Amino acid sequence: NEHITLRSAGAERDLVLTTAALSYGLSERTDLIVTVPHLRIGADPLTGEAGGHGLVDLGLDIKWRFYEHGPFSFALKPGATFPTGDTQRALGTGDTVWSLFLVSSYKLEEWNFLLHLGHVHHNNTFNERVDLWHASAAVERQVGEILKLVLDIGIDTNTDRALKSDPLFLIAGFIWSLHQNFDFDLGYKTQSTETLRARSLLAGLTLRW
């Protein structure tokens, strides 16, 4: 669950993105991931436009860990979202979006260093940029047996064709493993461009079986 507050031109607008994700192990190194997102958009304080809510484009990803040796691991994550959301209510792109990410990890006894690089072919009906890039680096620190601290920093291509600056983001949070099959995570995200500031409260639950 992500509660987002956008600030632009001196006004703030709230969004709430709730995503349910189901991951199924096809093999020891391959996972199939299905995501079902729901977006709630608050009213626009500048135009008075009413908000709305509904399901956003459904997603399907495959994560393949193609290399594991000692502390190193590498994975490819191709995926797609399908135009199931209502574009008239800004709940979808109106087209199929393709993506490919490379995920690398270097894990020590108490530390885990991660690097994410990716490209998104952002087909859409809103005249937004199509070729989007992502890069981020994260570090995780295990504290005791049940607590893990997380810090993530990255950059994404701006979807707005009129803007040249790309949004930078920073996430700080923790993962609390209450049980070997149950995690609770909480975090704070800040993101900014030359015209927009966004802050988000992140919360999530992970169940394994």
Side-chain angles (χ1 to χ4, degrees):
N1 189 16
E2 183 173 0
H3 189 147
I4 309 161
T5 300
L6 302 176
R7 182 174 180 82
S8 179
E12 292 188 348
R13 190 175 192 181
D14 290 331
L15 297 86
V16 179
L17 178 63
T18 304
T19 302
L22 176 64
S23 178
Y24 178 76
L26 298 176
S27 69
E28 185 178 348
R29 293 192 175 190
T30 307
D31 297 323
L32 178 68
I33 306 167
V34 178
T35 54
V36 183
H38 179 277
L39 181 64
R40 180 177 295 275
I41 305 173
D44 190 329
L46 295 178
T47 65
E49 178 185 359
H53 64 89
L55 292 178
V56 197
D57 296 346
L58 302 181
L60 179 65
D61 299 270
I62 294 178
K63 186 175 182 180
W64 172 44
R65 293 175 294 279
F66 64 90
Y67 180 84
E68 291 179 320
H69 181 72
F72 290 99
S73 70
F74 292 87
L76 284 175
K77 186 182 177 186
T81 63
F82 303 97
T84 55
D86 187 349
T87 57
Q88 299 299 318
R89 295 188 293 158
L91 297 174
T93 64
D95 206 337
T96 302
V97 174
W98 304 94
S99 63
L100 178 62
F101 286 83
L102 173 66
V103 183
S104 63
S105 173
Y106 179 73
K107 187 172 179 58
L108 301 175
E109 185 174 345
E110 296 178 343
W111 297 87
N112 189 21
F113 301 91
L114 302 109
L115 179 65
H116 290 196
L117 301 172
H119 176 262
V120 178
H121 195 71
H122 180 61
N123 297 318
N124 65 91
T125 58
F126 303 110
N127 196 32
E128 295 179 334
R129 283 194 178 101
V130 173
D131 289 311
L132 308 180
W133 296 91
H134 168 91
S136 64
V139 59
E140 299 176 346
R141 174 69 159 89
Q142 188 72 40
V143 181
E145 296 183 356
I146 65 172
L147 185 64
K148 184 183 296 182
L149 304 180
V150 181
L151 183 65
D152 189 4
I153 186 171
I155 185 171
D156 292 295
T157 302
N158 202 321
T159 58
D160 192 334
R161 294 179 183 271
L163 300 178
K164 295 182 178 180
S165 65
D166 294 324
L168 296 166
F169 68 84
L170 174 67
I171 301 173
F174 67 86
I175 301 172
W176 187 16
S177 299
L178 300 171
H179 186 270
Q180 63 178 357
N181 294 323
F182 178 79
D183 294 341
F184 170 73
D185 58 86
L186 186 67
Y188 178 81
K189 178 181 179 180
T190 179
Q191 191 172 18
S192 63
T193 67
E194 59 188 14
T195 60
L196 183 69
R197 299 289 185 273
R199 61 182 187 273
S200 307
L201 180 63
L202 313 172
L205 296 174
T206 302
L207 300 176
R208 305 179 188 87
W209 63 89

